[in-house]
Coordinates of all heavy atoms in Angstrom, one line a residue:
M28 N 109.7 136.0 95.7 CA 108.5 135.4 96.2 C 107.7 136.4 97.0 O 106.5 136.3 97.1 CB 108.8 134.2 97.0 CG 107.6 133.4 97.4 SD 106.9 132.5 96.0 CE 105.8 131.5 96.8
Q29 N 108.4 137.4 97.5 CA 107.8 138.4 98.4 C 106.7 139.2 97.6 O 105.7 139.6 98.2 CB 108.8 139.4 98.9 CG 108.2 140.5 99.8 CD 109.3 141.4 100.3 OE1 110.5 141.1 100.1 NE2 108.9 142.5 100.9
D30 N 107.0 139.5 96.3 CA 106.0 140.3 95.5 C 105.3 139.4 94.6 O 104.9 139.8 93.5 CB 106.8 141.4 94.8 CG 107.5 142.3 95.7 OD1 107.0 142.6 96.8 OD2 108.6 142.9 95.4
S31 N 104.9 138.2 94.9 CA 104.2 137.3 94.1 C 102.8 137.7 93.9 O 102.0 137.9 94.8 CB 104.3 135.9 94.6 OG 103.4 135.0 94.0
F32 N 102.4 137.8 92.6 CA 101.0 138.2 92.3 C 100.1 137.1 92.7 O 99.0 137.3 93.3 CB 100.9 138.4 90.8 CG 99.4 138.6 90.3 CD1 98.8 139.8 90.5 CD2 98.7 137.5 89.8 CE1 97.5 140.0 90.1 CE2 97.4 137.7 89.4 CZ 96.8 139.0 89.5
F33 N 100.4 135.8 92.5 CA 99.6 134.7 92.9 C 99.3 134.6 94.4 O 98.2 134.4 94.8 CB 100.1 133.4 92.4 CG 99.3 132.2 92.8 CD1 98.1 132.0 92.2 CD2 99.7 131.4 93.8 CE1 97.3 130.9 92.6 CE2 98.9 130.3 94.2 CZ 97.7 130.1 93.6
T34 N 100.4 134.9 95.2 CA 100.3 134.8 96.6 C 99.4 135.9 97.1 O 98.5 135.7 97.9 CB 101.7 134.9 97.3 OG1 102.5 133.9 96.8 CG2 101.5 134.9 98.8
S35 N 99.6 137.1 96.6 CA 98.7 138.3 96.9 C 97.3 138.0 96.5 O 96.4 138.3 97.3 CB 99.2 139.5 96.2 OG 98.4 140.6 96.4
F36 N 97.1 137.5 95.3 CA 95.7 137.1 94.9 C 95.1 136.1 95.7 O 93.9 136.3 96.2 CB 95.8 136.6 93.4 CG 94.5 136.3 92.8 CD1 93.7 137.3 92.2 CD2 94.0 135.0 92.9 CE1 92.5 137.0 91.7 CE2 92.7 134.7 92.4 CZ 92.0 135.7 91.8
A37 N 95.8 135.0 96.0 CA 95.2 133.9 96.8 C 94.8 134.3 98.2 O 93.8 134.0 98.7 CB 96.2 132.7 96.8
L38 N 95.7 135.1 98.9 CA 95.4 135.5 100.2 C 94.3 136.5 100.3 O 93.4 136.4 101.1 CB 96.7 136.1 100.9 CG 97.8 135.2 101.3 CD1 99.0 135.9 101.8 CD2 97.2 134.3 102.5
S39 N 94.3 137.4 99.3 CA 93.2 138.4 99.2 C 91.8 137.7 99.0 O 90.8 138.0 99.6 CB 93.4 139.4 98.1 OG 94.6 140.1 98.4
W40 N 91.9 136.7 98.1 CA 90.6 136.0 97.8 C 90.1 135.2 99.0 O 88.9 135.1 99.3 CB 90.9 135.0 96.6 CG 89.6 134.5 96.0 CD1 88.6 135.2 95.5 CD2 89.3 133.1 95.8 NE1 87.6 134.3 95.0 CE2 88.1 133.0 95.1 CE3 90.0 131.9 96.1 CZ2 87.5 131.8 94.8 CZ3 89.4 130.7 95.7 CH2 88.1 130.7 95.1
L41 N 91.1 134.6 99.7 CA 90.7 133.8 100.9 C 90.1 134.7 102.0 O 89.0 134.4 102.5 CB 92.0 133.1 101.5 CG 91.8 132.3 102.7 CD1 91.1 131.0 102.4 CD2 93.1 132.1 103.4
F42 N 90.7 135.8 102.2 CA 90.1 136.7 103.3 C 88.8 137.4 102.8 O 87.9 137.6 103.6 CB 91.1 137.7 103.7 CG 92.2 137.2 104.6 CD1 93.5 137.0 104.1 CD2 91.9 136.7 105.8 CE1 94.5 136.5 104.9 CE2 92.9 136.2 106.7 CZ 94.2 136.1 106.2
M43 N 88.7 137.7 101.5 CA 87.5 138.3 101.0 C 86.3 137.4 101.1 O 85.2 137.7 101.5 CB 87.7 138.9 99.6 CG 86.4 139.6 99.1 SD 86.7 140.3 97.5 CE 87.5 141.8 97.9
N44 N 86.6 136.1 100.8 CA 85.5 135.1 100.8 C 85.2 134.8 102.3 O 84.0 134.6 102.6 CB 85.9 133.8 100.1 CG 85.8 134.0 98.6 OD1 84.9 134.7 98.1 ND2 86.7 133.4 97.9
G45 N 86.2 134.7 103.2 CA 85.9 134.5 104.6 C 85.0 135.6 105.1 O 84.0 135.3 105.8
A46 N 85.3 136.8 104.9 CA 84.5 137.9 105.4 C 83.1 137.9 104.7 O 82.1 138.2 105.4 CB 85.2 139.3 105.1
G47 N 83.1 137.6 103.4 CA 81.8 137.6 102.7 C 80.9 136.5 103.2 O 79.7 136.7 103.4
L48 N 81.4 135.3 103.4 CA 80.6 134.2 103.9 C 80.2 134.4 105.4 O 79.1 134.0 105.8 CB 81.4 132.9 103.8 CG 81.5 132.4 102.4 CD1 82.4 131.2 102.3 CD2 80.2 132.1 101.7
A49 N 81.0 135.1 106.2 CA 80.7 135.4 107.6 C 79.5 136.4 107.7 O 78.7 136.3 108.5 CB 81.9 135.9 108.3
S50 N 79.5 137.3 106.7 CA 78.4 138.3 106.8 C 77.2 138.0 105.9 O 76.2 138.7 106.0 CB 79.0 139.7 106.3 OG 79.4 139.6 105.0
Y51 N 77.3 136.9 105.1 CA 76.2 136.6 104.2 C 74.8 136.3 105.0 O 73.8 136.8 104.5 CB 76.6 135.4 103.3 CG 75.8 135.4 102.1 CD1 76.0 136.3 101.1 CD2 74.8 134.5 101.9 CE1 75.3 136.3 99.9 CE2 74.0 134.5 100.7 CZ 74.3 135.4 99.7 OH 73.5 135.4 98.6
P52 N 74.8 135.6 106.1 CA 73.5 135.4 106.7 C 72.9 136.7 107.2 O 71.7 136.8 107.2 CB 73.9 134.5 107.9 CG 75.1 133.8 107.5 CD 75.9 134.8 106.6
I53 N 73.7 137.6 107.6 CA 73.2 138.9 108.0 C 72.5 139.6 106.8 O 71.4 140.2 107.0 CB 74.3 139.8 108.6 CG1 74.8 139.2 109.9 CG2 73.8 141.2 108.9 CD1 76.1 139.8 110.4
D54 N 73.1 139.5 105.7 CA 72.6 140.1 104.5 C 71.3 139.4 104.1 O 70.3 140.1 103.6 CB 73.6 140.0 103.3 CG 73.2 140.9 102.2 OD1 72.8 142.0 102.4 OD2 73.4 140.4 101.0
I55 N 71.2 138.1 104.2 CA 70.0 137.4 103.9 C 68.8 137.9 104.8 O 67.7 138.1 104.4 CB 70.2 135.9 104.0 CG1 71.1 135.4 103.0 CG2 68.9 135.1 104.0 CD1 70.6 135.5 101.6
V56 N 69.1 138.0 106.1 CA 68.1 138.5 107.0 C 67.6 139.9 106.7 O 66.4 140.2 106.6 CB 68.6 138.5 108.5 CG1 67.7 139.2 109.4 CG2 68.8 137.0 108.9
R57 N 68.6 140.8 106.3 CA 68.2 142.1 105.9 C 67.3 142.1 104.7 O 66.3 142.8 104.6 CB 69.5 142.9 105.6 CG 69.3 144.3 105.2 CD 70.6 145.0 104.7 NE 71.2 144.3 103.6 CZ 70.9 144.5 102.3 NH1 70.0 145.4 102.0 NH2 71.6 143.9 101.4
R58 N 67.7 141.3 103.7 CA 66.9 141.3 102.5 C 65.5 140.7 102.7 O 64.5 141.2 102.2 CB 67.6 140.4 101.4 CG 68.8 141.0 100.8 CD 69.4 140.1 99.8 NE 70.7 140.5 99.4 CZ 71.5 139.9 98.6 NH1 71.2 138.7 98.1 NH2 72.7 140.4 98.3
R59 N 65.4 139.7 103.6 CA 64.1 139.1 103.9 C 63.2 140.1 104.6 O 62.0 140.2 104.3 CB 64.3 137.9 104.8 CG 63.1 137.0 104.9 CD 62.7 136.3 103.6 NE 63.7 135.5 103.1 CZ 63.8 134.2 103.3 NH1 63.0 133.6 104.1 NH2 64.8 133.5 102.7
M60 N 63.8 140.9 105.5 CA 63.0 142.0 106.2 C 62.6 143.1 105.2 O 61.5 143.6 105.3 CB 63.9 142.6 107.3 CG 64.1 141.7 108.5 SD 65.1 142.4 109.8 CE 63.9 143.5 110.5
M61 N 63.4 143.4 104.2 CA 63.0 144.4 103.2 C 61.9 143.9 102.3 O 61.0 144.6 102.0 CB 64.2 144.8 102.4 CG 65.2 145.7 103.1 SD 66.7 146.2 102.2 CE 66.5 145.6 100.5
M62 N 62.0 142.6 102.0 CA 60.9 142.0 101.1 C 59.6 141.9 101.8 O 58.5 142.0 101.2 CB 61.3 140.6 100.7 CG 62.4 140.6 99.7 SD 63.0 139.0 99.1 CE 62.1 137.7 99.9
T63 N 59.5 141.8 103.1 CA 58.3 141.7 103.8 C 57.8 143.0 104.4 O 56.8 143.1 105.1 CB 58.4 140.7 105.0 OG1 59.4 141.2 105.9 CG2 58.7 139.3 104.5
S64 N 58.5 144.1 104.1 CA 58.1 145.4 104.7 C 56.8 145.9 104.2 O 56.1 146.6 105.0 CB 59.2 146.5 104.4 OG 59.3 146.7 103.0
G65 N 56.3 145.6 103.0 CA 55.0 146.1 102.6 C 53.9 145.1 102.8 O 52.7 145.4 102.5
E66 N 54.2 144.0 103.4 CA 53.1 143.0 103.7 C 52.5 143.2 105.0 O 53.0 143.9 105.9 CB 53.7 141.6 103.6 CG 54.3 141.2 102.3 CD 54.9 139.9 102.3 OE1 54.8 139.1 103.3 OE2 55.5 139.5 101.2
A67 N 51.3 142.6 105.2 CA 50.6 142.8 106.5 C 51.3 142.1 107.7 O 51.4 142.7 108.7 CB 49.2 142.1 106.4
V68 N 51.9 141.0 107.4 CA 52.7 140.3 108.5 C 54.1 140.7 108.3 O 54.8 140.2 107.4 CB 52.5 138.8 108.4 CG1 53.3 138.1 109.5 CG2 51.0 138.4 108.6
K69 N 54.6 141.5 109.2 CA 56.0 141.9 109.1 C 56.9 141.2 110.1 O 56.4 140.7 111.1 CB 56.1 143.5 109.3 CG 55.4 144.3 108.3 CD 55.6 145.8 108.6 CE 54.8 146.6 107.5 NZ 54.9 148.0 107.7
C70 N 58.2 141.2 109.8 CA 59.1 140.7 110.8 C 59.3 141.7 111.9 O 59.5 142.9 111.6 CB 60.4 140.3 110.1 SG 60.3 139.2 108.8
K71 N 59.3 141.2 113.1 CA 59.4 142.2 114.3 C 60.8 142.7 114.5 O 61.0 143.8 114.8 CB 58.9 141.5 115.5 CG 57.4 141.1 115.5 CD 57.0 140.4 116.7 CE 55.5 140.0 116.6 NZ 55.1 139.3 117.8
S72 N 61.8 141.8 114.3 CA 63.2 142.2 114.5 C 64.1 141.3 113.7 O 63.7 140.3 113.1 CB 63.6 142.0 116.0 OG 63.6 140.6 116.3
S73 N 65.4 141.6 113.6 CA 66.3 140.8 112.9 C 66.4 139.4 113.5 O 66.5 138.4 112.8 CB 67.7 141.5 112.9 OG 67.7 142.7 112.3
L74 N 66.4 139.3 114.8 CA 66.5 138.1 115.5 C 65.3 137.2 115.2 O 65.4 136.0 114.9 CB 66.7 138.3 117.0 CG 67.0 137.0 117.8 CD1 68.3 136.3 117.3 CD2 67.2 137.3 119.2
A75 N 64.1 137.8 115.2 CA 62.9 137.0 114.9 C 62.9 136.5 113.5 O 62.5 135.4 113.2 CB 61.7 137.9 115.1
T76 N 63.4 137.4 112.5 CA 63.5 137.0 111.1 C 64.5 135.8 111.0 O 64.3 134.8 110.3 CB 64.0 138.1 110.3 OG1 63.1 139.2 110.5 CG2 64.0 137.8 108.8
F77 N 65.7 135.9 111.7 CA 66.7 134.8 111.6 C 66.1 133.5 112.2 O 66.2 132.5 111.5 CB 67.9 135.2 112.5 CG 69.0 134.2 112.5 CD1 69.8 134.1 111.4 CD2 69.1 133.4 113.6 CE1 70.8 133.1 111.5 CE2 70.1 132.4 113.7 CZ 71.0 132.3 112.6
K78 N 65.4 133.6 113.3 CA 64.8 132.4 113.8 C 63.7 131.8 112.9 O 63.6 130.6 112.8 CB 64.1 132.7 115.2 CG 65.1 132.9 116.3 CD 64.4 133.3 117.6 CE 65.4 133.6 118.7 NZ 64.8 134.0 120.0
Q79 N 62.9 132.7 112.3 CA 61.9 132.2 111.3 C 62.5 131.5 110.1 O 62.1 130.4 109.7 CB 61.1 133.4 110.9 CG 60.0 133.0 109.9 CD 59.2 134.3 109.4 OE1 59.7 135.4 109.6 NE2 58.1 134.0 108.7
I80 N 63.6 132.1 109.6 CA 64.3 131.4 108.4 C 64.9 130.1 108.9 O 64.7 129.1 108.1 CB 65.4 132.4 107.9 CG1 64.8 133.6 107.3 CG2 66.3 131.6 106.9 CD1 65.9 134.7 106.9
M81 N 65.5 130.0 110.0 CA 66.1 128.8 110.5 C 65.0 127.7 110.7 O 65.2 126.6 110.4 CB 66.9 129.0 111.8 CG 68.1 129.8 111.6 SD 69.3 129.0 110.6 CE 69.8 127.7 111.6
A82 N 63.9 128.1 111.3 CA 62.8 127.1 111.6 C 62.2 126.6 110.3 O 61.9 125.4 110.2 CB 61.8 127.8 112.5
N83 N 61.9 127.5 109.3 CA 61.2 127.2 108.1 C 62.0 126.6 107.0 O 61.6 125.7 106.3 CB 60.4 128.4 107.6 CG 59.3 128.9 108.5 OD1 58.9 128.1 109.4 ND2 59.0 130.1 108.4
E84 N 63.3 127.1 106.9 CA 64.1 126.7 105.7 C 65.4 126.0 106.1 O 66.0 125.4 105.2 CB 64.3 128.0 104.9 CG 63.1 128.6 104.4 CD 63.3 130.0 103.8 OE1 64.4 130.1 103.1 OE2 62.5 130.9 104.1
G85 N 65.9 126.2 107.3 CA 67.2 125.6 107.7 C 68.4 126.5 107.4 O 68.3 127.5 106.7
T86 N 69.5 126.0 107.9 CA 70.8 126.7 107.7 C 71.2 126.9 106.3 O 71.8 128.0 105.9 CB 71.9 126.0 108.5 OG1 71.5 125.7 109.8 CG2 73.2 126.8 108.5
K87 N 70.9 125.9 105.5 CA 71.3 126.0 104.1 C 70.8 127.2 103.3 O 71.4 127.8 102.4 CB 70.9 124.7 103.4 CG 71.6 124.4 102.1 CD 71.2 123.0 101.6 CE 72.0 122.6 100.4 NZ 71.7 121.3 99.9
S88 N 69.6 127.7 103.7 CA 69.0 128.8 103.0 C 69.7 130.1 103.3 O 69.6 131.1 102.5 CB 67.5 128.9 103.4 OG 67.4 129.3 104.8
L89 N 70.5 130.2 104.4 CA 71.3 131.4 104.7 C 72.5 131.6 103.7 O 73.0 132.6 103.6 CB 71.8 131.3 106.1 CG 70.7 131.4 107.2 CD1 71.3 131.2 108.6 CD2 69.9 132.7 107.1
F90 N 72.9 130.5 103.0 CA 74.0 130.5 102.1 C 73.6 130.1 100.7 O 74.4 129.7 99.9 CB 75.1 129.6 102.6 CG 75.6 130.0 104.0 CD1 75.2 129.4 105.1 CD2 76.6 131.0 104.1 CE1 75.7 129.8 106.4 CE2 77.1 131.4 105.3 CZ 76.6 130.8 106.4
K91 N 72.3 130.3 100.4 CA 71.8 129.8 99.1 C 72.5 130.2 97.9 O 72.8 129.4 97.0 CB 70.3 130.1 99.0 CG 69.5 129.1 98.3 CD 68.0 129.5 98.3 CE 67.3 128.7 99.4 NZ 65.8 129.0 99.4
V92 N 72.8 131.5 97.7 CA 73.4 132.0 96.5 C 74.8 132.6 96.8 O 75.3 133.4 96.1 CB 72.5 133.1 95.9 CG1 72.7 133.2 94.4 CG2 71.1 132.9 96.2
A93 N 75.5 132.1 97.9 CA 76.8 132.6 98.2 C 77.8 132.3 97.2 O 78.9 133.0 97.1 CB 77.2 132.0 99.6
G94 N 77.6 131.2 96.4 CA 78.6 130.9 95.3 C 78.8 132.0 94.3 O 79.9 132.2 93.8
A95 N 77.7 132.7 94.1 CA 77.9 133.9 93.1 C 78.8 134.9 93.7 O 79.6 135.5 93.0 CB 76.5 134.5 92.8
N96 N 78.8 135.2 95.0 CA 79.7 136.1 95.6 C 81.1 135.6 95.6 O 82.0 136.4 95.5 CB 79.2 136.4 97.1 CG 78.1 137.3 97.1 OD1 77.6 137.9 96.1 ND2 77.5 137.5 98.3
I97 N 81.3 134.3 95.7 CA 82.6 133.8 95.7 C 83.3 134.0 94.3 O 84.4 134.4 94.2 CB 82.6 132.3 96.1 CG1 82.3 132.2 97.6 CG2 83.9 131.6 95.8 CD1 82.0 130.7 98.0
L98 N 82.5 133.8 93.3 CA 83.0 134.0 91.9 C 83.2 135.5 91.6 O 84.1 135.9 91.0 CB 82.0 133.4 90.9 CG 81.9 131.9 90.9 CD1 80.9 131.4 89.9 CD2 83.3 131.3 90.6
R99 N 82.3 136.3 92.1 CA 82.4 137.7 91.9 C 83.6 138.3 92.6 O 84.2 139.3 92.2 CB 81.1 138.4 92.5 CG 81.1 139.9 92.1 CD 79.8 140.5 92.5 NE 79.8 140.6 94.0 CZ 78.8 140.9 94.7 NH1 77.7 141.2 94.2 NH2 78.9 140.9 96.0
A100 N 84.0 137.7 93.7 CA 85.2 138.1 94.4 C 86.5 138.0 93.6 O 87.5 138.7 93.8 CB 85.4 137.3 95.7
V101 N 86.5 137.1 92.6 CA 87.7 136.9 91.8 C 88.0 138.2 91.1 O 89.1 138.6 91.0 CB 87.4 135.8 90.8 CG1 88.5 135.7 89.7 CG2 87.3 134.4 91.5
A102 N 87.0 138.9 90.5 CA 87.2 140.1 89.8 C 87.7 141.2 90.8 O 88.7 141.9 90.4 CB 85.9 140.6 89.2
G103 N 87.1 141.4 91.9 CA 87.5 142.4 92.9 C 89.0 142.2 93.4 O 89.8 143.1 93.4
V104 N 89.3 140.9 93.7 CA 90.6 140.6 94.2 C 91.6 140.7 93.0 O 92.7 141.2 93.3 CB 90.6 139.2 94.8 CG1 92.0 138.7 95.0 CG2 89.8 139.1 96.0
G105 N 91.2 140.4 91.8 CA 92.1 140.5 90.7 C 92.5 142.0 90.5 O 93.7 142.3 90.2
V106 N 91.6 142.9 90.6 CA 91.9 144.3 90.5 C 92.8 144.8 91.6 O 93.8 145.5 91.4 CB 90.6 145.2 90.6 CG1 90.9 146.6 90.7 CG2 89.8 144.9 89.3
L107 N 92.6 144.4 92.9 CA 93.4 144.8 94.0 C 94.8 144.2 93.8 O 95.8 144.9 94.0 CB 92.8 144.3 95.3 CG 91.5 145.0 95.7 CD1 91.0 144.4 97.0 CD2 91.8 146.5 95.9
A108 N 94.9 142.9 93.5 CA 96.3 142.3 93.4 C 97.0 142.8 92.2 O 98.2 143.0 92.2 CB 96.1 140.8 93.3
G109 N 96.3 143.1 91.1 CA 96.9 143.7 89.9 C 97.4 145.1 90.2 O 98.5 145.5 89.7
Y110 N 96.7 145.9 91.0 CA 97.1 147.2 91.3 C 98.4 147.2 92.1 O 99.3 148.0 91.9 CB 96.0 147.9 92.1 CG 96.4 149.3 92.6 CD1 96.5 150.3 91.6 CD2 96.6 149.6 93.9 CE1 96.8 151.6 92.1 CE2 96.9 150.9 94.3 CZ 97.0 151.9 93.4 OH 97.4 153.1 93.8
V111 N 98.5 146.3 93.1 CA 99.7 146.1 93.9 C 100.9 145.7 93.0 O 101.9 146.3 93.1 CB 99.5 145.1 95.0 CG1 100.8 144.8 95.7 CG2 98.5 145.7 96.1
K112 N 100.6 144.8 92.1 CA 101.7 144.3 91.2 C 102.1 145.5 90.3 O 103.3 145.6 90.0 CB 101.2 143.1 90.4 CG 102.3 142.5 89.6 CD 103.4 141.9 90.5 CE 104.4 141.2 89.7 NZ 105.6 140.7 90.5
L113 N 101.2 146.2 89.8 CA 101.5 147.4 88.9 C 102.3 148.4 89.6 O 103.3 149.0 89.1 CB 100.2 148.0 88.4 CG 100.3 149.1 87.4 CD1 100.9 148.5 86.1 CD2 99.0 149.7 87.1
Q114 N 102.0 148.7 90.9 CA 102.8 149.6 91.7 C 104.3 149.1 91.8 O 105.2 149.9 91.7 CB 102.3 149.8 93.1 CG 101.1 150.7 93.1 CD 100.6 150.9 94.5 OE1 100.8 150.0 95.4 NE2 100.0 152.0 94.8
I115 N 104.4 147.8 92.0 CA 105.8 147.2 92.2 C 106.5 147.3 90.9 O 107.7 147.7 90.9 CB 105.7 145.8 92.7 CG1 105.1 145.7 94.1 CG2 107.0 145.1 92.6 CD1 104.7 144.3 94.6
V116 N 105.9 147.1 89.8 CA 106.5 147.1 88.5 C 106.9 148.5 88.1 O 108.0 148.8 87.6 CB 105.6 146.5 87.4 CG1 106.2 146.7 86.0 CG2 105.5 145.0 87.6
L117 N 106.0 149.5 88.3 CA 106.2 150.8 87.8 C 107.0 151.7 88.8 O 107.9 152.4 88.4 CB 104.9 151.6 87.6 CG 104.0 151.1 86.4 CD1 102.7 151.8 86.4 CD2 104.8 151.2 85.1
L118 N 106.8 151.5 90.1 CA 107.5 152.3 91.1 C 108.6 151.6 91.8 O 109.4 152.2 92.5 CB 106.5 152.8 92.1 CG 105.3 153.6 91.6 CD1 104.3 153.9 92.7 CD2 105.7 154.8 90.9
G119 N 108.6 150.3 91.7 CA 109.7 149.5 92.3 C 109.4 149.2 93.8 O 110.2 148.5 94.4
K120 N 108.3 149.6 94.3 CA 107.9 149.3 95.7 C 106.4 149.5 95.9 O 105.8 150.1 95.1 CB 108.7 150.1 96.7 CG 108.4 151.6 96.6 CD 109.2 152.4 97.6 CE 108.9 153.9 97.5 NZ 109.6 154.6 98.6
K121 N 105.9 149.0 96.9 CA 104.5 149.2 97.3 C 104.3 150.6 97.8 O 105.1 151.1 98.6 CB 104.0 148.1 98.3 CG 104.0 146.7 97.8 CD 103.5 145.8 98.8 CE 103.6 144.4 98.4 NZ 103.3 143.4 99.4
Y122 N 103.2 151.2 97.5 CA 102.8 152.5 98.0 C 102.7 152.4 99.5 O 102.0 151.5 100.0 CB 101.6 153.0 97.3 CG 101.1 154.3 97.8 CD1 101.7 155.5 97.4 CD2 100.1 154.4 98.8 CE1 101.3 156.7 97.8 CE2 99.7 155.7 99.2 CZ 100.3 156.8 98.8 OH 100.0 158.0 99.2
G123 N 103.3 153.3 100.2 CA 103.1 153.3 101.7 C 104.1 152.4 102.4 O 104.1 152.3 103.6
S124 N 104.9 151.6 101.6 CA 105.8 150.7 102.3 C 107.0 151.5 102.8 O 107.4 152.5 102.3 CB 106.3 149.6 101.4 OG 107.0 150.1 100.3
R125 N 107.5 151.0 103.9 CA 108.7 151.7 104.5 C 110.0 151.1 104.1 O 110.1 150.0 103.7 CB 108.6 151.6 106.1 CG 107.3 152.3 106.5 CD 107.2 152.2 108.0 NE 105.9 152.8 108.3 CZ 105.6 153.2 109.5 NH1 106.4 153.1 110.5 NH2 104.4 153.7 109.7
G126 N 111.0 151.9 104.1 CA 112.3 151.4 103.8 C 112.6 151.7 102.3 O 111.9 152.4 101.6
G127 N 113.8 151.3 101.9 CA 114.4 151.5 100.7 C 114.0 152.0 99.5 O 114.3 152.3 98.5

């Protein structure tokens, strides 16, 4: 069970999605500031942009397309977990692990 592919995959996916969802609002603010950079009315700061989004569109708009990132994480996590499992199968241990 220690070298379970599913356990490695599930934990990696959980943490990758947690980090992705935690940083997603920051990415939305960054994108919104980039989109308004050529317009006459620009956002003054990240905080002002965040407040504007919250006031006009609400919290839900900060996570509007986050579902796509959750699905995309499956591929990235699959590669990482597969690489770890491949190392175990080919080398008999994880790279960088201590002991035997």
